Amino acid sequence: MKKTWFLEDVNVFGLLCPHKLKRFKKSHKFSQYKKRDYIYSEDDNANKVYLIEKGKVKLGYYGENGEEVIKAILTKGELFGEKAILGVENRTEFAQSLDHNTCICPVAVETMQDLMRDNESFSLKMYKFLGFRFKKLERRLEVLLFKDTKTRVIEFIKELEDDYGYCCPETGDIVINHPYTQKDIATLIGTSRPTLNTILNELKSVDKLDFNGKEIRLKQTD
C-alpha cells in the first residue's frame, strides 16, 4: 500500500475530506499545527479521523515508567485516529506534529459513518484497510520487542520496500524513495541514530545496499 489515501484505486481523500464535499465545504477548515503540538493526547475523546494534507505526525504512547514508545511516523497522504470508526471512545495513543507547518484535515466520525453507509464498496475497503493497519502495527511492535537491532533495521527496510520501493529498469536494483529521516527511522525501531548509521554502513560495505538522504537502493547481486 503506497499511500493510505488510496485503497485499491479508491481515492480516500476525495471521499473523506469534507473540503471536497459541497455540503461541508463552507464550514470545514483545515487545522494547522506547529512542531511538537499535540493533535490529540491519550484518553482524549475519539470523535474524529484525521488526514495529513501536509507535514509529519508521530503516533505513540507512554509506558508504565514514563518512557515514550513510538508506534508510527506518518506523512502527507496518510490517515490516523481510525480506531474511532470502530467505536473506540477514548484515544489510546497520542498524535504529535513533527513539522512546523503540519496541516491536518479532520473528519468527524459521524461524517465518516455516513459516507461508509452510503457506499458499501468503500466501506468494505475501509475495513480491509483498518485490518491491514492494525496488523502492520502489531508486527512492528513484535519486531521491536523480540528482535536484535540489526534485524529490526533489516525488517524496517523490507517494510519500506513494500510501501515505497520500485525496480530500477537500468540496474534491476530496488530503489526506495521514502519520507523518513535517519532520526525518524531510529526512533521507530528503538535505537540511536549512530547505531542505525553503523548498521547501514555495514550493509553497504558488503554491497547489500546503498543509501543517500531519503533514498535506499537495494543491490541486486547474482
Side-chain angles (χ1 to χ4, degrees):
M1 184 177 297
K2 301 294 184 184
K3 286 292 181 183
T4 57
W5 280 0
F6 294 88
L7 308 177
E8 297 182 0
D9 300 322
V10 176
N11 185 336
V12 179
F13 181 71
L15 286 173
L16 296 188
C17 180
H19 188 72
K20 302 287 184 178
L21 305 174
K22 290 182 179 180
R23 58 178 168 153
F24 297 112
K25 188 171 183 178
K26 289 184 179 179
S27 61
H28 179 257
K29 293 182 179 179
F30 286 96
S31 301
Q32 306 288 333
Y33 297 90
K34 296 187 181 299
K35 190 173 183 178
R36 297 189 182 88
D37 283 351
Y38 283 92
I39 298 156
Y40 59 75
S41 300
E42 293 181 74
D43 297 323
D44 280 357
N45 187 22
N47 56 10
K48 293 183 177 69
V49 177
Y50 301 88
L51 301 164
I52 303 175
E53 197 276 332
K54 181 174 68 175
K56 194 180 295 184
V57 173
K58 174 174 69 175
L59 303 181
Y61 62 91
Y62 293 99
E64 292 182 0
N65 60 357
E67 84 281 8
E68 186 180 78
V69 180
I70 305 304
K71 295 173 61 177
I73 294 176
L74 307 178
T75 59
K76 179 179 178 179
E78 299 197 84
L79 175 151
F80 63 98
E82 66 277 0
K83 287 183 181 179
I85 302 170
L86 302 178
V88 174
E89 296 183 354
N90 296 97
R91 302 295 182 188
T92 58
E93 63 195 12
F94 65 78
Q96 185 181 32
S97 170
L98 291 180
D99 283 347
H100 288 293
N101 294 296
T102 296
C103 184
I104 302 294
C105 170
V107 183
V109 171
E110 293 82 0
T111 300
M112 170 73 85
Q113 291 171 341
D114 286 345
L115 291 168
M116 293 175 72
R117 277 193 293 267
D118 293 343
N119 190 326
E120 183 178 352
S121 176
F122 169 71
S123 178
L124 291 172
K125 289 172 181 177
M126 178 56 69
Y127 281 120
K128 184 177 179 180
F129 158 71
L130 293 176
F132 174 86
R133 167 64 68 83
F134 296 151
K135 185 180 294 185
K136 185 175 182 179
L137 290 175
E138 286 175 2
R139 181 175 171 228
R140 181 175 293 171
L141 289 175
E142 182 180 334
V143 170
L144 186 63
L145 290 171
F146 300 112
K147 304 294 184 181
D148 61 81
T149 306
K150 186 173 183 179
T151 302
R152 296 202 300 269
V153 173
I154 293 171
E155 288 289 324
F156 190 77
I157 291 173
K158 289 179 181 177
E159 188 176 306
L160 291 179
E161 179 185 355
D162 291 340
D163 288 347
Y164 303 101
Y166 65 92
C167 181
C168 175
E170 288 80 18
T171 65
D173 294 343
I174 302 298
V175 179
I176 304 169
N177 288 312
H178 61 87
Y180 303 113
T181 64
Q182 281 200 14
K183 183 179 179 181
D184 292 338
I185 296 173
T187 299
L188 283 168
I189 64 175
T191 190
S192 66
R193 184 175 174 182
T195 299
L196 170 64
N197 196 54
T198 296
I199 293 171
L200 289 174
N201 279 310
E202 287 177 0
L203 295 170
K204 181 178 180 179
S205 69
V206 294
D207 211 30
K208 293 291 186 181
L209 57 78
D210 197 3
F211 63 97
N212 181 25
K214 295 181 179 180
E215 179 182 288
I216 298 174
R217 183 177 289 265
L218 304 180
K219 300 290 188 175
Q220 301 302 300
T221 57
D222 295 332

